[in-house]
Amino acid sequence: MFKLNTQRTYRQPVNLTVYDERGKEQTGSFTAAFKVMPHDQLLEQPDGVTLLDAVLVDVSDIEIGGEDGQPLAGDMLLDAVKNDPALSTALVGAYHESIAKKNRPRT
């Protein structure tokens, strides 16, 4: 019998490429922790709650400096990665890929 924990969380690598101030590509990766949300719970989220607000639990292996130059941590770090267009796009892509990739039929 296959047993499934519907309240599971898991860690997933996130790969991305961003442009620096000189227009040069910088490629890197970090790790995100996601929680699995059933479709009905995602559909019931209040207006203004994004997919990342609902499923992103934590990030690691990434450093973002705050206004004081010190690295952000906790909720401030999560807010920073969700608000950056490149990072948030990479996170959403990694989440969708992690949910769907292993469950696609092989052709």
Side-chain angles (χ1 to χ4, degrees), residues 2-4 11 17 19 26 38-39 49 66 75 87 104:
F2 181 75
K3 292 185 179 186
L4 179 66
R11 303 188 75 66
T17 300
Y19 292 97
Q26 293 199 343
H39 288 294
V49 174
D75 288 341
L87 292 172
R104 290 185 193 135

Side-chain angles (χ1 to χ4, degrees), residues 3-40:
K3 292 185 179 186
L4 179 66
N5 175 2
T6 59
Q7 303 299 312
R8 66 194 180 278
T9 60
Y10 62 94
R11 303 188 75 66
Q12 178 71 23
V14 179
N15 301 310
L16 75 150
T17 300
V18 296
Y19 292 97
D20 66 13
E21 297 80 17
R22 294 171 294 205
K24 293 206 177 239
E25 287 185 356
Q26 293 199 343
T27 301
S29 64
F30 62 99
T31 303
F34 295 113
K35 64 181 170 183
V36 175
M37 295 279 295
H39 288 294
D40 60 347

Side-chain angles (χ1 to χ4, degrees), residues 10-81:
Y10 62 94
R11 303 188 75 66
Q12 178 71 23
V14 179
N15 301 310
L16 75 150
T17 300
V18 296
Y19 292 97
D20 66 13
E21 297 80 17
R22 294 171 294 205
K24 293 206 177 239
E25 287 185 356
Q26 293 199 343
T27 301
S29 64
F30 62 99
T31 303
F34 295 113
K35 64 181 170 183
V36 175
M37 295 279 295
H39 288 294
D40 60 347
Q41 288 180 15
L42 282 173
L43 293 173
E44 293 172 358
Q45 295 298 313
D47 288 341
V49 174
T50 68
L51 174 66
L52 291 179
D53 291 332
V55 301
L56 185 62
V57 177
D58 189 30
V59 292
S60 58
D61 306 322
I62 186 170
E63 183 177 305
I64 299 175
E67 291 180 15
D68 60 0
Q70 296 299 310
L72 298 175
D75 288 341
M76 292 177 71
L77 178 58
L78 286 177
D79 288 342
V81 297

